[in-house]
Amino acid sequence: MTDGTVERRADTEQPLLADGGAEPTAALLADGGAEPAAALLATGGGTGADRPEDTRRRSRRLRVALVTACAIVVAGVVGAAATGVLGGGGTKAAAAAPSGPPATTTVKRTTLTSTQTVDGTLGYGDTETVQAPASGASASAASSGTGQSAQSGGSGGTGSGIVTWMPSDGDVISRGDPVYKVDQQSVPLLYGSVPLYRTLKDGSTGSDVKMLERNLHALGYRGFTVDDDYDANTAAAVEKWQKKLGRSQTGEVEVGDAVVASGARRVAHAQLALGSALGGTVLTWTGTERVISVNLDVQYENLARKGATAVVTLPDDTEVQAEVTKIGTPTTSGGSSSGSSGSSSSSSSGSSDSADSSSATVPVELTIKDPKKLGNYQVASVTVEFASETRPNVLAVPVNALFAEPDGGYAVEVVTGGTTAYKPVRLGMFGNGMVEVTGAGIDAGTVVGVPK
């Protein structure tokens, strides 16, 4: 009879679980079902007023609730043991976990290059100023219709002519092009290193004569020999040049009749307004090619050698190759090296003689090997990576393969088959994310562990 009861209870309980028996169980657990369950067990499953069938039904539901609750508790204990929350349960699982590094690489024999990265600026190089000729420096042979010199002041030395044309910012001025106009007479650009400092005429000799004749020849004027002598043939060529410029044809070249620079120039800022009297700073300009400018701390001065290469990183992380083409003289942060020639002078007034060695820098200019790679950047902040040392044929591993040892040394995790061992290494030069290593058992091809 007892076995039959158990079987029947099992038969009657199965539909209970399938047909919604979980809801009474949930209600018992949620509403403190443990207390009614205890009361039912203590009283035999019901009150005296209950019918036997009601009592048996409640007993079955109570047993289902208790079985379900026990199952939940057991599942929680098993889960906690599996994750080690309860202490001893996680030890066996940890011991069974696979050992060894998450990833590996090999020791490589390579060439390492140590680098130094500094800040730089992409632009057009040093800004230079073009000054108007000093008042009364020389009486120009090309005078305006008012009787006032086009380049120098009148008899009182207080005027220098009226500015009638100025270039725009960003304009490129080449040999023979007007730099500006005074009283509608052009003041052209000549290429050279010797400024016009005196009147050149028949009988003059010197390097400034040769500079003038070279420019005349480049502009297409002929009939004279390019040398240091200014003769009648040179004067005839000058007259033709003056006619084209709209100037009086005197055959002589005065101070201020032209501006001399080493090559074509890009206008940075036109200072004088139309209608103003010529005087002071006329404009500022730069070279025409985009370059990288760096103020290199003197401690890194040995990195900058003419012809040395560097890697320039643009704002969009594009890397371009550059070459050191110009090195200035050390100066403090308040001054800059002079790089002007002719009538163009540097805007700096500082002196390197007073440079404090602790804050002195060396102006360095680099030229981009492939300017097209600069894209549309005109002016931008960049980083410049100089190579400071190169060491060939060394054993190296990635820097993140190093492990710090308690005694302050370093080791690498050497992987041999299915085993690993930490082997001490001595460090050499760092470069390119790698580090030179030497030590017992460390050879090219040795497998070492690294993080993923």
Side-chain angles (χ1 to χ4, degrees):
M1 174 118 181
T2 303
D3 293 339
T5 302
V6 172
E7 291 176 1
R8 283 195 298 272
R9 285 178 179 171
D11 292 342
T12 56
E13 286 172 2
Q14 183 66 28
L16 179 63
L17 294 173
D19 297 334
E23 293 182 3
T25 303
L28 284 170
L29 293 177
D31 299 333
E35 293 181 5
L40 286 170
L41 291 173
T43 59
T47 63
D50 291 336
R51 292 179 298 173
E53 293 81 356
D54 295 337
T55 302
R56 285 195 297 272
R57 187 177 297 110
R58 290 174 180 169
S59 297
R60 285 197 298 270
R61 291 180 178 175
L62 175 61
R63 290 189 182 94
V64 171
L66 292 175
V67 170
T68 303
C70 290
I72 293 174
V73 172
V74 171
V77 172
V78 172
T83 58
V85 173
L86 299 182
T91 304
K92 185 175 181 180
S99 59
T104 61
T105 187
T106 58
V107 178
K108 293 179 176 62
R109 188 169 293 281
T110 185
T111 297
L112 288 184
T113 300
S114 177
T115 61
Q116 180 65 43
T117 301
V118 298
D119 293 331
T121 302
L122 170 65
Y124 288 89
D126 294 336
T127 300
E128 301 168 345
T129 61
V130 175
Q131 298 286 344
S135 178
S138 174
S140 174
S143 62
S144 67
T146 61
Q148 187 180 50
S149 169
Q151 296 299 315
S152 61
S155 58
T158 58
S160 300
I162 302 301
V163 175
T164 54
W165 180 87
M166 289 288 291
S168 299
D169 295 355
D171 284 354
V172 174
I173 302 174
S174 301
R175 188 198 323 254
D177 294 341
V179 178
Y180 57 92
K181 293 182 180 180
V182 177
D183 299 337
Q184 286 298 86
Q185 297 189 32
S186 295
V187 179
L189 173 65
L190 300 181
Y191 293 173
S193 58
V194 182
L196 296 176
Y197 65 94
R198 59 175 178 163
T199 299
L200 297 179
K201 56 186 177 180
D202 191 1
S204 298
T205 61
S207 59
D208 51 349
V209 172
K210 191 171 186 178
M211 178 274 298
L212 174 63
E213 290 181 340
R214 281 177 173 171
N215 279 275
L216 291 173
H217 188 273
L219 292 171
Y221 298 96
R222 300 292 187 269
F224 60 91
T225 301
V226 177
D227 55 18
D228 291 344
D229 298 322
Y230 195 118
D231 56 20
N233 293 329
T234 303
V238 168
E239 290 179 6
K240 295 177 182 178
W241 178 48
Q242 290 174 330
K243 180 179 181 180
K244 184 175 180 179
L245 293 175
R247 305 175 70 94
S248 298
Q249 300 169 41
T250 64
E252 298 180 0
V253 179
E254 299 282 346
V255 174
D257 280 356
V259 177
V260 179
S262 59
R265 286 293 180 264
R266 179 180 183 272
V267 177
H269 182 58
Q271 301 277 44
L272 297 183
L274 299 183
S276 62
L278 179 66
T281 299
V282 178
L283 55 82
T284 58
W285 59 15
T286 64
T288 59
E289 300 295 329
R290 288 174 291 179
V291 297
I292 305 297
S293 299
V294 174
N295 286 323
L296 196 63
D297 289 345
V298 289
Q299 61 180 317
Y300 303 127
E301 183 176 3
N302 63 316
L303 302 182
R305 304 178 303 277
K306 279 193 175 182
T309 59
V311 178
V312 177
T313 303
L314 302 176
D316 61 0
D317 292 331
T318 299
E319 293 185 349
V320 295
Q321 297 293 320
E323 179 180 339
V324 176
T325 53
K326 181 179 177 181
I327 302 174
T329 55
T331 181
T332 60
S333 58
S336 62
S337 60
S338 175
S340 62
S341 63
S343 59
S344 302
S345 61
S346 171
S347 59
S348 169
S349 60
S351 172
S352 60
D353 293 338
S354 61
D356 181 355
S357 60
S358 64
S359 60
T361 59
V362 179
V364 177
E365 189 172 283
L366 302 95
T367 300
I368 303 301
K369 292 186 176 181
D370 186 0
K372 292 181 180 178
K373 291 186 176 180
L374 293 175
N376 294 324
Y377 288 112
Q378 301 294 314
V379 178
S381 296
V382 300
T383 58
V384 182
E385 188 178 82
F386 290 95
S388 60
E389 181 183 0
T390 298
R391 188 171 298 177
N393 199 31
V394 298
L395 295 175
V397 297
V399 174
N400 61 354
L402 297 177
F403 290 86
E405 293 188 314
D407 61 0
Y410 290 91
V412 293
E413 186 179 9
V414 176
V415 180
T416 306
T419 63
T420 65
Y422 288 90
K423 294 190 176 183
V425 293
R426 293 181 300 277
L427 306 186
M429 192 177 79
F430 288 76
N432 311 114
M434 307 282 285
V435 57
E436 178 186 0
V437 293
T438 55
I442 305 300
D443 298 299
T446 299
V447 179
V448 296
V450 293
K452 279 187 177 179

